Amino acid sequence: MTDSGRTDSREHYFTAHPATPDERRPLDVTLAGRRVTVEVAGGIFSPGGLDKGTAVLLDEVPDPPPSGRFLDLGCGWGPIALTLGLLSEHADVTGVDVNERSVDLTSRNAAALGLDHVRAVTPDAVDDGTAYDLIWSNPPIRIGKAALHDLLRTWLRRLAPDGTAYLVVQKNLGSDSLQRWIESDLRMPCARFATSKGFRVLEVKAT
């Protein structure tokens, strides 16, 4: 998480309707090797730019397949969902976030980039039977262990057969204990896929 996002992140994690003024502003950023302009605002995760964890995730994970059903869990203004959409034009990409401002920003950013196969919704808008071939996420570690476990228990179990999830977690915020919990509680294979800049990328396989 960048310093510019620290004030807003706690509100983002817990609030569907942030109290911070909804002042939109443009942000130039590189996604999938392309320089693009997106819209950001306060009251969401990392409004100042691409946070360090997400940058590590996008740098380290393998390219997604050209098609399939993909999920960005905790989409913020959309860097992961937009990257998936830019790399896989035949995929069905969904960004999910409890923060309705984040959902609106990701939707607007996808539309501005012509990514009509990328949508953003709140969790209650996702059908319980939906399964995903690929999940990329910088999960909200700071919501607390119990809430984080509930979140991952819900969404990782929506991996399709042969599906894979990649999660980026700071080492000093419990990446290794989270890996052990996924293996012991969810009984899903979880490996350290990469380590970079104080973060681990965990690879979780469907069972």
Side-chain angles (χ1 to χ4, degrees):
M1 177 172 57
T2 61
D3 289 341
S4 57
R6 185 168 288 117
T7 299
D8 294 316
S9 64
R10 183 174 300 172
E11 180 182 48
H12 158 68
Y13 289 153
F14 292 104
T15 309
H17 306 284
T20 306
D22 190 0
E23 297 175 353
R24 306 294 174 98
R25 60 186 182 273
L27 173 71
D28 294 327
V29 65
T30 300
L31 300 175
R34 286 177 48 181
R35 195 68 178 170
V36 299
T37 300
V38 297
E39 189 177 56
V40 297
I44 67 168
F45 177 67
S46 194
L50 195 64
D51 73 284
K52 293 179 181 179
T54 299
V56 167
L57 179 76
L58 297 179
D59 284 344
E60 296 293 342
V61 293
D63 284 347
S67 62
R69 182 171 284 155
F70 305 160
L71 175 69
D72 169 10
L73 178 59
C75 60
W77 54 262
I80 293 174
L82 298 175
T83 297
L84 287 167
L86 289 166
L87 292 173
S88 301
E89 62 182 29
H90 299 295
D92 176 4
V93 181
T94 299
V96 168
D97 206 298
V98 298
N99 186 322
E100 294 186 0
R101 188 177 298 173
S102 293
V103 168
D104 182 62
L105 284 165
T106 297
S107 297
R108 290 170 61 90
N109 289 332
L113 295 177
L115 302 176
D116 58 5
H117 58 299
V118 176
R119 69 180 186 127
V121 296
T122 54
D124 59 353
V126 179
D127 185 272
D128 289 343
T130 303
Y132 296 96
D133 304 296
L134 183 65
I135 297 174
W136 286 4
S137 181
N138 182 353
I141 298 297
R142 296 181 188 274
I143 61 175
K145 184 178 292 186
L148 177 68
H149 287 177
D150 285 344
L151 180 76
L152 295 179
R153 188 179 288 113
T154 296
W155 293 96
L156 289 180
R157 286 174 171 166
R158 293 184 178 182
L159 279 173
D162 300 322
T164 304
Y166 292 97
L167 314 175
V168 63
V169 184
Q170 259 184 286
K171 288 195 290 184
N172 65 1
L173 291 180
S175 62
D176 293 348
S177 62
L178 183 64
Q179 177 187 1
R180 292 191 294 270
W181 176 82
I182 291 170
E183 291 182 319
S184 63
D185 188 277
L186 301 186
R187 300 190 181 279
M188 302 177 76
C190 183
R192 296 175 192 170
F193 183 81
T195 300
S196 177
K197 301 176 182 177
F199 292 85
R200 291 206 199 282
V201 177
L202 304 179
E203 180 186 62
V204 185
K205 292 289 189 179
T207 52

